[in-house]
Amino acid sequence: DTEVTQTPKHLVMGMTNKKSLKCEQHMGHRAMYWYKQKAKKPPELMFVYSYEKLSINESVPSRFSPECPNSSLLNLHLHALQPEDSALYLCASSQILGETQYFGPGTRLLVL
Amino acid sequence: AQKITQTQPGMFVQEKEAVTLDCTYDTSDPSYGLFWYKQPSSGEMIFLIYQGSYDQQNATEGRYSLNFQKARKSANLVISASQLGDSAMYFCAMKTGFQKLVFGTGTRLLVSP
């Protein structure tokens, strides 16, 4: 089973709101990733967790705050976002760092 | 530095025909992996096929095969017997070691009846 789930599927938020995106996998993978994808562009890596520790932060603004509460869950906390942060946010997981990444269905975020 | 190039912004193919999506890569690392992902309009990135740099044979997964030409640094995806459901964006990607996955700009495939 190569399933990664993400909630919510769609999210509309104002610039003063606080919201969270959730990602879950039950494949026993120990690496999890957040990507941001703008329309007609490839995904851009934001964060990588390996064994529940933040491994890579691609110089993402602090209004995005990742959290890995356990090996199956990955959250992305959003606060004071800008309209240009509107995008598809994809979560992925892999057995370990460097192995094949399996993606979730994504959350489409609109910031008004 | 790693780089992936997909030169075809869009491709058209008729149902039941084969299609090749081009991908060239550049890396100085002798050990690397090449991936193809499919992204339908729904947004999910679906893993299709993987080729390791030391693999002797071209990877195949059902109707998907990867035409790996190491000397030319190309890793083209071949889809045989195209189906309407194959219409999607296709991304070629590469990783070396524990480095991040580097994606190409993608090719949009449209399969017509």
Side-chain angles (χ1 to χ4, degrees):
Chain A
D1 187 7
T2 55
E3 187 178 71
V4 177
T5 59
Q6 287 186 245
T7 54
K9 289 187 177 176
H10 301 273
L11 180 61
V12 180
M13 60 186 290
M15 290 190 282
T16 57
N17 292 158
K18 283 186 182 182
K19 296 285 184 183
S20 296
L21 309 185
K22 180 180 169 181
C23 173
E24 196 165 5
Q25 57 88 15
H26 293 289
M27 296 178 280
H29 289 177
R30 303 313 299 267
M32 296 186 77
Y33 312 76
W34 279 116
Y35 287 86
K36 174 183 177 180
Q37 187 179 23
K38 301 286 273 185
K40 298 184 181 180
K41 296 286 188 183
E44 298 173 14
L45 184 65
M46 300 175 72
F47 302 104
V48 181
Y49 274 82
S50 177
Y51 289 89
E52 295 137 66
K53 286 188 167 49
L54 185 63
S55 176
I56 297 175
N57 176 342
E58 290 285 311
S59 303
V60 179
S62 59
R63 57 186 184 269
F64 294 92
S65 175
E67 179 197 18
C68 189
N70 60 56
S71 59
S72 303
L73 272 176
L74 186 65
N75 297 320
L76 186 62
H77 303 297
L78 315 172
H79 174 55
L81 293 193
Q82 304 297 309
E84 60 264 28
D85 296 322
S86 299
L88 177 68
Y89 288 83
L90 291 162
C91 173
S93 71
S94 63
Q95 193 71 41
I96 56 171
L97 275 184
E99 296 296 310
T100 300
Q101 293 181 31
Y102 296 92
F103 286 78
T107 294
R108 290 194 187 275
L109 174 66
L110 178 62
V111 182
L112 300 176
Chain B
Q2 303 172 74
K3 189 177 179 183
I4 291 281
T5 303
Q6 294 181 255
T7 57
Q8 306 155 314
M11 288 286 285
F12 294 89
V13 66
Q14 277 206 308
E15 207 176 358
K16 299 178 187 175
E17 291 189 349
V19 63
T20 298
L21 306 184
D22 294 342
C23 173
T24 57
Y25 60 92
D26 191 21
T27 180
S28 56
D29 198 316
S31 177
Y32 51 88
L34 296 156
F35 302 81
W36 277 93
Y37 285 88
K38 170 186 177 182
Q39 188 174 40
S41 55
S42 58
E44 182 176 0
M45 295 278 285
I46 302 167
F47 166 68
L48 295 178
I49 197 165
Y50 167 79
Q51 180 86 42
S53 59
Y54 294 119
D55 293 342
Q56 295 295 315
Q57 295 194 334
N58 288 343
T60 61
E61 288 286 349
R63 293 185 300 111
Y64 305 107
S65 60
L66 201 152
N67 185 358
F68 181 46
Q69 298 192 36
K70 202 168 181 176
R72 289 186 169 186
K73 292 191 173 181
S74 75
N76 298 339
L77 177 70
V78 180
I79 306 175
S80 63
S82 296
Q83 301 172 356
L84 295 178
D86 294 333
S87 294
M89 182 72 92
Y90 288 81
F91 289 100
C92 180
M94 175 173 66
K95 64 95 178 174
T96 58
F98 297 116
Q99 299 299 314
K100 66 181 182 181
L101 206 53
V102 175
F103 288 90
T105 51
T107 296
R108 182 162 295 282
L109 176 66
L110 184 61
V111 181
S112 60

